[in-house]
Amino acid sequence: MSSLFLETIRAVDGEVFNILYHQKRYESVLKKFNVKNPQSLLEHIEPPKEGTCRCRLLYDISKLPHTVDVTYHEYKKRDINFLKLIYDDNIEYSLKSADRGGLEALYEQRGECDDVLIVKNSLVTDTTIANIAFYDSNRWVTPKQPLLKGTTRERLLMEKKIFEEDIYVEDLHKFSKAALMNAMIDFDIITKNIKEIFC
């Protein structure tokens, strides 16, 4: 596994969002590798005062003390309306590594779709860039076993706006809508109904 990890943080007109959840995930990575002295991510961030910006924080746990390198990128949302189901029982991305080779290889299989929805051991997980949730006419449900526990997903779970369940491929017909969530788009409901999403 690469020693490079990252956090992608949203900033709008200089205001940074969801920083507590990014800080928590960053610290959990350090703890997993027995790296001491976590830094305050917020102290490294000075986003532009205008516009929506993607703050990309890259840190290398093999360096002691480790550094946090920050770059800023103008954010342009990528529209995702169609997903292709891709099956891979070996994909692993439980930590937000800078090495996204496995995800990128699956993305290349999307065909005419906008992204892929990854199925692992018969369970629905994530797309290559976002966690997903489905509406069952009563509440929004997100896969209990995602590839990555995203920061927006964690916040919405804490706020009880979404709920965890194991979701098998054969369960998808039970839902009427889907939504994607990540640090940049927050909770973005796909306008098409569930029957139209999969191509």
Side-chain angles (χ1 to χ4, degrees), residues 16 29 61 122 166:
V16 176
V29 172
I61 61 170
S122 301
D166 282 334

Side-chain angles (χ1 to χ4, degrees), residues 133-142 163 165 167 171-178 194:
F134 300 96
Y135 189 64
D136 66 1
S137 300
N138 181 44
R139 60 182 187 162
W140 285 95
V141 179
T142 193
F163 302 87
E165 283 185 10
I167 301 174
D171 295 331
L172 290 175
H173 74 278
K174 300 177 183 178
F175 302 103
S176 59
K177 293 185 286 188
I194 200 77

Side-chain angles (χ1 to χ4, degrees), residues 58-85:
L58 188 68
Y59 59 99
D60 188 343
I61 61 170
S62 70
K63 296 180 179 180
L64 295 176
H66 68 276
T67 57
V68 179
D69 297 315
V70 187
T71 54
Y72 303 98
H73 309 269
E74 181 182 359
Y75 179 67
K76 294 182 179 179
K77 182 185 174 186
R78 185 171 78 184
D79 288 331
I80 297 178
N81 294 301
F82 299 101
L83 298 170
K84 181 178 181 179
L85 290 172

Side-chain angles (χ1 to χ4, degrees), residues 28 39 63 75 129 133 194-195:
S28 72
Q39 302 175 37
K63 296 180 179 180
Y75 179 67
I129 63 165
I194 200 77
K195 294 179 180 179

Side-chain angles (χ1 to χ4, degrees), residues 100-199:
R100 290 176 46 86
L103 293 175
E104 289 167 1
L106 296 181
Y107 178 73
E108 290 303 316
Q109 301 178 46
R110 70 191 183 282
E112 298 298 316
C113 295
D114 302 312
D115 201 347
V116 299
L117 179 58
I118 302 162
V119 180
K120 183 175 181 179
N121 299 321
S122 301
L123 289 167
V124 174
T125 62
D126 299 326
T127 73
T128 63
I129 63 165
N131 295 127
I132 195 165
F134 300 96
Y135 189 64
D136 66 1
S137 300
N138 181 44
R139 60 182 187 162
W140 285 95
V141 179
T142 193
K144 191 175 182 178
Q145 301 181 54
L147 293 180
L148 178 72
K149 293 182 177 180
T151 55
T152 297
R153 176 185 182 276
E154 291 299 291
R155 173 174 57 80
L156 294 174
L157 284 169
M158 289 293 293
E159 294 172 352
K160 298 190 182 304
K161 293 180 179 178
I162 61 173
F163 302 87
E164 290 182 309
E165 283 185 10
D166 282 334
I167 301 174
Y168 291 88
V169 175
E170 55 266 30
D171 295 331
L172 290 175
H173 74 278
K174 300 177 183 178
F175 302 103
S176 59
K177 293 185 286 188
L180 300 178
M181 49 190 156
N182 65 27
M184 296 306 301
I185 61 176
D186 199 63
F187 190 80
D188 189 39
I189 299 173
I190 298 175
T191 57
K192 297 183 180 301
N193 66 52
I194 200 77
K195 294 179 180 179
E196 298 174 312
I197 290 173
F198 299 107
C199 57

